[in-house]
Each structure stands twice: as C-alpha cells, then as structure tokens.
Amino acid sequence: MNTVPIMPAITLQGVTCRFGEVRAVDAVDLHIGGGSLFFLLGPSGCGKTTLLRTIAGFQEPSQGRVLLGDRDITSLPPERREAGMVFQGYALWPHMSVLENVAFGLEVRRVPVTERRRRAMEALDMVHMADLADRRPGQLSGGQQQRVALARAIVFRPQVLLLDEPLSNLDARLRLEMRGLIRSVCDEVRMTTVYVTHDQAEALSLADGIAVMRQGRVVQQGTPQDLYRRPCSRFVAEFMGRINLLPATVSAADPKGCTLVTALGELPCGTGGMRPGASLHAGIRPESLRIAPEGSIRGSCRRSVYLGEMAQHEVETPAGTLLVLEQDPGRASRAGEILSLRVERDAVIALND
Ligand code: ATP
C-alpha cells in the first residue's frame, strides 16, 4: 500500500436518533477531516455507539444528514458504504484460518484468488501477524485476534474505518501495544477513522481530533491538548483527567483572561470572556501544582502514593484537599510534611458546571 490517496471527510449535519422517548443522539453537527483519526469520547450511554452506527449505516437517523466527502450517504445501506469495522468482540470465524478470515472480504468482492492472498498477507503484515496466517482464531491470544480483526477491516482498503471500543477486552499492557499499532496503521493507510471509547487516555494518546459527548450531544470538539488544557466545562475537565476544583468568583475580566478569587487568594486565569462577579470553579490539574520553596500555597501532606515515575500527594490547604503529582520523586512519601506549592503559569482554568 504505497500510494496514499487522501480519503474523504465525514460530515454530520443535525443528526438525531430517537428510540421512543430517548434521544440517543441529539442534533449533532460534526466535521471529521479526511484521513484523520477521530475519537467519539464520553461516558456509558452518551450516544457514541449510536452515532458510529449511523456513520456505518446500521442506524438511520430520525433527522439530519451524513455526508462522505460531498456525497449524501444518509440512506445508503452499510454494504454500499464500504466502511471497515472493528468491534469489541472480534467476531472472527472460528472454522477459518487467520488468512481465510482476512481474505474473506476480498472473496465477497470477487477479487481473484492470487490477488486475494497477496493483499490478505499484506494486511496481516501491517499488524505483524503474517507469521501466524495458518492458525485458527482459537489458537490466538486476545491481542492477536484483535490484530486479525483490524487486518480484516482494512484489507479491502476502505475509505472509512470504524472502531467500537476495540481494546476493551485486552489487558493494560496489550492495550498500550495495540494503541501504537492502530496509530501506525492509520498513518500508513490514511483512512478516515472514527474510534469510539470511554477511555480518555486512549483518546488523548492517539487522536487527531476528539468530540466529547454527553446525553446525545457533542459538548466540546478539539485536539487532545484543547480538551485537556482548555475544557469548556467542569464535565469535560473531569472527564479528560483528574483536576482540583476550587469554588471561585470572577473579579477582573477581559477577552483574554480573568482573575479568580479563591480560598487560596487571587489566581490569574487564561480563560477569556468571563462575567465579573460570576461564581464558578477554578480548575488546576494535579501536575500543574509544583512543590517549590517559593510557592505561596502552604499545606500539610496527609497521604502519598508512590507510583515510580511519579508520586501522588494529598495536601490539606485552606481551600481543601489538593491532589499534587510530583514527577521523578526523590522519596516515596511526604506524609506529615508541610509543603509549599506553586501553580504553573497558564494552568488555572475557569469552569462552569
Ligand atoms: P456505551 O459506552 O455503554 O456503549 P454509548 O455511549 O455507546 O454507551 P449508546 O449505545 O449509543 O451509548 O446508547 C445511547 C442511549 O440510547 C442509551 O440510553 C441507550 O439505552 C439508548 N439506546 C441505544 N440503542 C437503543 C435501541 N435500539 N433501543 C432503545 N434505546 C436504545
């Protein structure tokens, strides 16, 4: 697969899916750039799978349109969308060899036998499974089966690849390994890929773009950095990772930033357009609090958890207990110590509920 054509974008316009009273997907507008690896991220029941099924063609929207490039595919059946899919369960055929499983999609498309074999081996090679082409799925580990499922989804060179929680059945180490593999396959083939997960670490580590969903709606869309560093609400901030939340009032404010008054004093904040006097939360990620002699926040360390490359401290301050992450900790515990903390520049986020 040497030539890499640019794949078409996916555009959702006002997509709504109703099941009786439930609006599983509620007026979603989304543009997924051609060739990008895009994540639908959110808690259980927020509508991610329903939205993915709408893109695949298994679910017709109650309202709205799905476009591939500039072609309206809203009513096109799944088999004519030519999208490769990988599900949570691998759904491999147990009576066929790995090679036959991967080649099957080409057989259905009437690709000649020798070409089928060549392309199936090429896809298996991409997922480092060519050596095990003659095995049956029952003779493979979970991670290996998932690789075969990925090879099967990409073998017919789809324009679109859809992944529904593809790593959820794997253990932590294999999940990490598969993340790397999925990213490299996407970089090589450049399909427009939509990946559903509730695991924010998976999304942060792989995505070109992420849409965070809540109750059927997209509440924020952006790059991993946008969502982690500039979440638009408390919900997104908490979903993307751990965060300290301090009750705060906006004092001075301009389009570029504001000052937040908290129990730790006044904190400069880079969130613009806030209303002076508004009550909200100041959010500070645990890694943005540094243990430093010149730090103006003093507190007593109640508990430490040593994690090797970092330690996690719970520090009692006038604003309540703050979680602090110390990189490369020199000692395992600081419990009982009085610590001075400094807030990193541009680390305070103003968050409405
Ligand atoms: P999970 O991570 O648990 O898979 P999800 O974000 O993928 O969740 P969906 O499976 O899309 O969520 O479901 C969204 C909502 O729509 C849920 O409230 C679900 O119960 C409801 N729902 C989904 N499919 C149907 C259906 N066929 N009939 C009725 N309700 C449905």
Side-chain angles (χ1 to χ4, degrees), residues 248-253 259 274-280:
T249 308
V250 179
S251 59
T259 302
M274 307 310 292
R275 185 170 53 80
S279 294
L280 37 68

Side-chain angles (χ1 to χ4, degrees), residues 264 266-267 288-299 315 317-318 322 324 338-344:
L264 298 178
E266 292 198 339
L267 299 174
S288 300
L289 285 168
R290 295 290 164 91
I291 300 170
E294 80 282 7
S296 59
I297 306 165
R298 279 173 70 78
V315 183
T317 73
L322 298 181
V324 178
I338 300 293
L339 301 178
S340 298
L341 305 174
R342 166 171 70 75
V343 184
E344 283 286 276

Side-chain angles (χ1 to χ4, degrees), residues 137-153:
Q139 299 169 311
L140 301 177
S141 70
Q144 291 168 336
Q145 290 185 45
Q146 192 57 306
R147 286 167 194 237
V148 177
L150 183 59
R152 192 178 55 175

